[in-house]
């Protein structure tokens, strides 16, 4: 794939606050097209807040988020909406609408934004369900399927509009190791097939090493990024004790 | 149609070549499969389908779902489909889409015969009655345990609940009961004016407010306000498994959640009712003296002589009963709530409906009993 000069997502001098309490100061990082980018960090370090800023749910007090060089939060609201349509988001609990069947969950964004007719929508819904391995479950309601299936169905909804960027909030939370692994494989597959860029917020080490091309590690105490790069390389090369502790579940102490 | 996107080429014998170009993304209008199918019927000699895509094609799931359909239709007609001309990614995605079976898994839909449904309904009624009695029993037991000092009771939370279902409701209760007083005064005036007995408006407003209207209006307001909030709060707690968490710790949810709420409402309802009585009488007073031109002192004396202590007690008994009804309905619906967003909504609705219905029924019963007793 050809190299593109603009990083797909660029975060500049971003401050994150949670109810007026500053959690992260002066964040800077870039996400390249086609990467699986991981935002990692301990609980309460502002990962989820960062995700909200990236997907356009929360306006930051200070700092910029650029998509292909375009400043998201400085754009007009209609333009923001257009940009947001290029995102797919998998929320932590799936967030499927409980009064809709799976097919209706996935069809809603298509009905709202695509120019497909009812039959074409049904086809696309089926295709998306096939991609996450849930074909045939069109008429089921979220309450009638297991947690792992809900997550996958939610992923099908997230990719309904063929997004350019897919955001995952703690994809493995609440899943058994096998389902979590399956979801990781699915993420890799989707990246390859759809050519999407993927941003994952997580602290699951297994996932981080399995899928991450690039990552940033947020640290609560210093309120900043303390490491960035490919997770495997970070594990081998980093000399920062905090980084090593995080990446080895505290089993190995760092040199410094 | 869609000549810029789809062109059907028959130049090679027995072969249909689909030439794809332009924007095949889901945000643009796409050709439907029917157009291609129509060609199948018109050209029965076709045995192969091949594809060629132009440089400028942009595609996503829109193209894939179209191709999937075309491929399926061709297979049904024994036409061979050669995917080689398609972009690599599209081939992979299409292969995946074609692997899956067409069948739809049926949700287990249970068809119940009529008699079975009637029976089930009857059983449900018994069951819900039993469950209500059980719940009431639990409340009584927890009250007994409370008075023997065995209940873990959180005073701060209780005070918060008292405040929420007491003083926070004052503005609303003031407005509504003052208006009820005003309405009673006006309605009384219509008839009493005919006899020149307008001063008896004071009796009507006083007795009606104190004996029943104050309590009923407060009860209806509190069903909508506090009963609904109890149901929603406990319903969400049930959905979040917070109530299960209490049970695992050996804490009875009835003692921990229901008891303080019932107690708060049983304390607050009579107080709110007294307040509503005063506001209602005040509303009637202002209208009677200000608009209907009655003498304030005379009005006051009439009110004093008409409203007896017995009326006050009857009003307070109403409000006490209503307090129990509202709190029990709200908490019961909340705790018995199923785990979904819809269920919380249903629990709230049902709490309010149950409370208001029971309030009206209770009013009828109390009124009847008072009639029989001659109070």
């Amino acid at each position: 794939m050809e190299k593109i000069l603009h990083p797909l997502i660029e975060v500049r001098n971003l401050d994150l606050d949670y109810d007026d309490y500053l959690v992260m100061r002066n964040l800077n990082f870039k996400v390249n097209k086609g990467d699986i980018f991981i935002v990692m960090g301990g609980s309460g370090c502002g990962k989820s807040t960062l995700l909200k800023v990236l997907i356009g749910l929360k306006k930051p007090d200070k700092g910029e988020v650029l998509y292909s060089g375009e400043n998201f939060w400085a754009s007009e609201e209609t333009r923001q909406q257009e940009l947001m349509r290029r995102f797919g988001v998998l929320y932590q609990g799936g967030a499927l609408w409980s009064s809709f069947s799976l097919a209706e969950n996935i069809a809603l964004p298509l009905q709202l934004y695509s120019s497909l007719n009812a039959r074409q929508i049904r086809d696309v819904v089926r295709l998306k369900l096939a991609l996450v391995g849930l074909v045939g479950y069109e008429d089921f309601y979220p309450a009638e399927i297991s947690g792992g299936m809900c997550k996958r169905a939610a992923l099908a909804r997230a990719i309904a509009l063929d997004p350019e960027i897919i955001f995952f909030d703690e994809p493995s939370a609440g899943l058994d190791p096998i389902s979590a692994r399956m979801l990781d494989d699915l993420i890799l597959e989707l990246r390859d097939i759809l050519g999407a860029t993927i941003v994952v917020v997580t602290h699951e080490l297994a996932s981080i090493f399995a899928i991450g091309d690039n990552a940033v590690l947020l640290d609560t105490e210093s309120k900043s990024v303390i490491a960035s790069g490919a997770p495997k390389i970070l594990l081998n090369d980093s000399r920062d004790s905090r980084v090593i502790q995080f990446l080895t579940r505290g089993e190995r102490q760092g040199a410094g | 149609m869609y000549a810029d996107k789809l062109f059907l080429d028959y130049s090679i014998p027995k072969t249909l070549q689909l030439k794809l170009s332009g924007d095949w993304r889901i945000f643009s209008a796409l050709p439907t499969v029917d157009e291609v199918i129509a060609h199948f019927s018109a050209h029965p000699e076709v045995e192969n389908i091949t594809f060629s895509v132009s440089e400028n094609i942009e595609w996503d799931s829109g193209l894939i779902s179209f191709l999937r359909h075309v491929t399926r239709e061709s297979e049904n007609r024994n036409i061979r489909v050669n995917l080689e001309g398609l972009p690599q990614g599209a081939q992979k995605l299409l292969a995946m889409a074609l692997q899956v079976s067409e069948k739809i898994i049926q949700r287990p839909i249970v068809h119940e015969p009529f008699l079975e449904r009637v029976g089930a309904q009857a059983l449900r009624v018994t069951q819900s009655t039993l469950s209500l009695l059980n719940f009431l029993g639990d409340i009584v037991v927890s009250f007994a345990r409370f008075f023997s000092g065995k209940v873990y009771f959180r005073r701060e939370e209780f005070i918060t609940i008292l405040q929420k279902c007491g003083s926070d409701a004052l503005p609303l209760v003031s407005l509504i009961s003052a208006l009820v007083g005003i309405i009673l005064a006006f309605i009384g005036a219509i008839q009493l004016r005919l006899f020149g007995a307008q001063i008896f408006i004071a009796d009507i407003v006083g007795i009606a407010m104190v004996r029943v209207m104050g309590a009923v209006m407060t009860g209806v307001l509190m069903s909508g306000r506090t009963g609904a909030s109890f149901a929603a709060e406990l319903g969400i707690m049930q959905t979040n498994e917070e109530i299960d968490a209490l049970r695992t710790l050996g804490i009875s949810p009835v003692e921990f959640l229901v008891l303080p709420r019932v107690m708060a409402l049983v304390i607050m309802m009579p107080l709110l009712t007294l307040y509503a009585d005063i506001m209602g009488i005040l509303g009637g007073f202002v209208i009677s003296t200000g608009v209907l031109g009655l003498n304030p002192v005379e009005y006051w004396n009439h009110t004093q002589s008409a409203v007896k202590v017995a009326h006050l007690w009857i009003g307070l008994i109403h409000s006490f009963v209503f307090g129990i009804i509202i709190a029990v309905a709200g908490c019961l619906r909340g705790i018995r709530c199923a785990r979904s967003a819809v269920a919380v909504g249903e629990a709230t609705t049902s709490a309010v409906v149950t409370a208001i219905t029971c309030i009206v029924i209770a009013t009828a019963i109390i009124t009847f009993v008072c009639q029989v007793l001659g109070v």
Side-chain angles (χ1 to χ4, degrees), chain B residues 131-146 150-154 157-158 161 230 234 237-238 242-247 250-264 327-328 331-336:
Chain B
S131 131
L132 171 65
L133 290 177
N134 230 328
F135 189 68
L136 289 176
D138 276 350
I139 294 176
V140 172
V141 170
S142 64
F143 261 98
R145 279 170 56 86
F146 173 76
K150 284 181 196 157
V151 167
Y152 175 66
F153 196 75
R154 303 202 324 148
E157 202 200 349
F158 179 63
I161 299 173
F230 285 176
L234 299 195
M237 289 182 80
Q238 174 70 18
E242 291 172 45
I243 288 178
D244 294 352
L246 286 175
R247 283 210 181 92
I251 300 173
S252 144
V254 172
E255 278 175 20
F256 194 76
L257 299 171
V258 180
L259 177 73
R261 283 175 173 74
V262 174
M263 212 149 39
V328 169
C331 292
L332 177 72
R333 300 302 178 195
I335 273 193
R336 297 270 188 275

Side-chain angles (χ1 to χ4, degrees), chain A residues 216-238:
Chain A
V216 284
L217 175 58
L218 307 182
D219 179 58
T220 322
E221 253 167 55
S222 61
K223 298 187 176 177
S224 60
V225 173
I226 54 169
S228 58
K232 282 173 194 155
I233 296 176
L234 281 181
L235 178 64
N236 289 329
D237 294 0
S238 177

Side-chain angles (χ1 to χ4, degrees), chain A residues 115 123 126 128 139 162 193, chain B residues 27 61 69 93 102 107:
Chain A
S115 13
D123 267 6
R126 214 170 160 72
K128 304 294 169 178
D139 295 337
D162 290 275
I193 294 175
Chain B
F27 296 113
S61 306
H69 227 115
L93 201 54
E102 284 292 308
R107 287 173 55 219

Side-chain angles (χ1 to χ4, degrees), chain A residues 124-136:
Chain A
V124 173
V125 165
R126 214 170 160 72
L127 175 67
K128 304 294 169 178
L129 281 174
L131 282 175
V132 299
L134 279 179
V135 78

